[in-house]
Amino acid sequence: MEKQTLELALLLDFYGGLLTEKQWAYMELYYNEDFSLAEIARINGITPQGVRDAIRRGEHTLREVERKTGLIARFGEGFYGI
């Protein structure tokens, strides 16, 4: 698993409850279930670009929360292999 994918999967596990339902669902399928943008779009009846936009907003939210709280940086070292 690529480092960025691992980072986002960890952020999603830690802070996923702060996302909208759609953001969480799309990110869960994309990062944890390895679905493509096209597959997620087809399942949800939207365009791949719509899925990508929702995922990008979710990524921004997760990274911003970690930047502000630093919980993973403080408590995740060693435990999560980071």
Side-chain angles (χ1 to χ4, degrees), residues 1-9 82:
M1 185 179 280
E2 142 184 354
K3 185 177 180 177
Q4 181 181 356
T5 302
L6 180 59
E7 172 201 9
L8 285 161
I82 56 172

Side-chain angles (χ1 to χ4, degrees), residues 62-76:
L62 296 176
R63 286 187 171 121
E64 188 65 15
V65 171
E66 174 58 17
R67 186 188 68 76
K68 290 179 179 179
T69 65
L71 291 174
I72 294 173
R74 277 188 275 165
F75 301 111

Side-chain angles (χ1 to χ4, degrees), residues 5-24:
T5 302
L6 180 59
E7 172 201 9
L8 285 161
L10 181 59
L11 289 169
L12 185 59
D13 287 346
F14 233 74
Y15 304 118
L18 300 174
L19 299 174
T20 67
E21 192 173 313
K22 284 184 182 181
Q23 287 171 336
W24 181 86

Side-chain angles (χ1 to χ4, degrees), residues 20-38:
T20 67
E21 192 173 313
K22 284 184 182 181
Q23 287 171 336
W24 181 86
Y26 297 167
M27 291 184 76
E28 175 71 18
L29 290 172
Y30 189 71
Y31 287 110
N32 292 334
E33 302 297 328
D34 204 27
F35 278 59
S36 70
L37 295 176

